[in-house]
Amino acid sequence: MEPPHESAAGGRKRRRRGGDRNRWKPSSSSQQEPPPAAAPAPLSSPPAKRRRKDGTGQAAAAPKRGNTSSLLEKMRARLSGGHFRMLNEKLYTCSGQDAFDYFKNDPTLFDVYHTGYREQMSHWPEQPVNVIINWLKRHNASWTVADFGCGNAAVAKNVENKVFSIDLVSDDPSVIACDMAHTPLESSSVDVAIFCLSLMGTNYPNYLEEANRVLNPSGWLVIAEVRSRLDPNNGGADPEKFSKAIIQLGFSLVSKDEKNKMFILFYFKKKEKSKVAKSIDWPQLKPCLYKRR
């Protein structure tokens, strides 16, 4: 027998590609069902957000809740400080009557002002109102006192004396709300008149004239004023000229306390037979304006 002939392909049978082996082909004669679909891949968690890097190339930490609260507090403080500076400038650059009318229209602004005022005063090493309170305690408790520009009525709350507390706005029944140039007090009815950082209006001499009216003969006029307003080397008034004007109003200067770096205290006494000069050369007191920090 002859050996079988090889096919034209050289005896090698063609092989289908491996991918075709597993390929399912539908057939009319086949009743087989298609193979089940592959199970879907499990869902992966969303990729983490990429953090911004700081200047060192390290990922910056996410802001903490505490930091956000601190930022809000700083923003509120800045807004409050700006409002205080605006109101402070208003008080220094208008008349007492204008200031009274201004705060009468919106008394809440006075609270805003005093909140800012207390914050500013908290940086002072010594409070002038405390010096005046201690001075009163060393003297006669039977004296009647008029506190012009009383603020939170600290004098009345800390001495045994009868005190008329006077200011532009009253949220306390004991405080008299009025223009300090025109108070309802009777003439020659008080023994001490106090101006603790309250000679703020452009017509401040009218306040002192009103104090002269309500003071008894030999009554005390106590004034605490910001030092910079009485510093001629820094645009302020000459303190000697300021004292001279009050002397011409009918007072004598008993003492002056300049040891504090923030304020000056004057202690005047009304003369028994005071005679007011026909013309008084009042120095202009520059506004005490706070710079924006």
Side-chain angles (χ1 to χ4, degrees):
M1 293 179 64
E2 294 181 357
H5 291 283
E6 295 183 12
S7 65
R12 289 180 297 177
K13 295 182 179 180
R14 291 183 181 179
R15 295 181 180 177
R16 295 178 180 176
R17 294 181 182 179
D20 294 337
R21 291 179 181 177
N22 299 326
R23 184 177 297 171
W24 175 81
K25 293 183 178 180
S27 173
S28 60
S29 62
S30 175
Q31 299 299 323
Q32 295 179 354
E33 296 181 359
L43 295 176
S44 59
S45 58
K49 291 184 179 180
R50 185 176 297 175
R51 293 183 181 178
R52 293 182 179 179
K53 295 183 178 181
D54 57 18
T56 63
Q58 300 296 323
K64 297 180 179 179
R65 185 180 298 275
N67 292 343
T68 303
S69 300
S70 177
L71 179 61
L72 289 173
E73 289 173 3
K74 288 180 180 179
M75 291 175 66
R76 290 191 188 101
R78 182 171 294 181
L79 289 172
S80 177
H83 211 171
F84 163 72
R85 286 190 295 271
M86 180 195 74
L87 296 172
N88 183 71
E89 182 174 350
K90 175 73 176 178
L91 287 170
Y92 272 110
T93 56
C94 72
S95 69
Q97 185 61 52
D98 288 342
F100 177 66
D101 293 338
Y102 181 77
F103 287 105
K104 186 177 181 180
N105 291 332
D106 189 353
T108 60
L109 293 177
F110 207 59
D111 294 331
V112 174
Y113 168 76
H114 276 288
T115 299
Y117 173 81
R118 286 190 293 270
E119 197 281 329
Q120 292 290 336
M121 293 301 294
S122 67
H123 301 291
W124 286 30
E126 188 174 28
Q127 304 295 317
V129 67
N130 292 336
V131 177
I132 295 173
I133 288 170
N134 291 331
W135 179 84
L136 281 171
K137 288 181 176 180
R138 294 194 302 267
H139 290 79
N140 197 334
S142 66
W143 284 349
T144 300
V145 179
D147 185 8
F148 289 79
C150 66
N152 63 351
V155 173
K157 295 174 183 176
N158 289 278
V159 299
E160 297 179 4
N161 306 69
K162 178 181 179 180
V163 180
F164 291 108
S165 299
I166 304 166
D167 217 324
L168 296 170
V169 174
S170 172
D171 55 4
D172 184 327
S174 66
V175 176
I176 302 170
C178 66
D179 171 12
M180 294 192 300
H182 305 284
T183 71
L185 303 183
E186 295 182 2
S187 298
S188 304
S189 60
V190 302
D191 302 293
V192 182
I194 297 171
F195 289 91
C196 184
L197 309 182
S198 55
L199 293 176
M200 300 178 71
T202 54
N203 63 323
Y204 83 88
N206 298 141
Y207 305 160
L208 295 172
E209 291 168 355
E210 178 67 358
N212 185 40
R213 181 186 72 81
V214 303
L215 273 171
N216 288 320
S218 299
W220 288 90
L221 173 62
V222 182
I223 300 174
E225 191 50 80
V226 179
R227 180 178 285 275
S228 61
R229 300 188 80 196
L230 296 169
D231 182 4
N233 297 321
N234 193 32
D238 185 342
E240 298 302 323
K241 189 175 181 179
F242 177 72
S243 297
K244 182 179 178 181
I246 297 176
I247 290 171
Q248 291 177 325
L249 189 60
F251 293 84
S252 58
L253 178 62
V254 177
S255 64
K256 181 169 60 173
D257 182 356
E258 297 182 277
K259 64 177 179 290
N260 193 285
K261 67 177 183 179
M262 304 301 291
F263 59 88
I264 302 176
L265 273 164
F266 298 88
Y267 297 90
F268 294 94
K269 200 166 187 180
K270 186 175 179 179
K271 296 176 181 178
E272 286 284 348
K273 296 181 179 180
S274 62
K275 185 178 181 180
V276 180
K278 292 182 179 180
S279 177
I280 300 176
D281 184 15
W282 292 100
Q284 183 176 357
L285 298 180
K286 72 172 187 177
C288 182
L289 306 180
Y290 294 92
K291 295 180 180 179
R292 181 175 181 178
R293 294 183 177 181

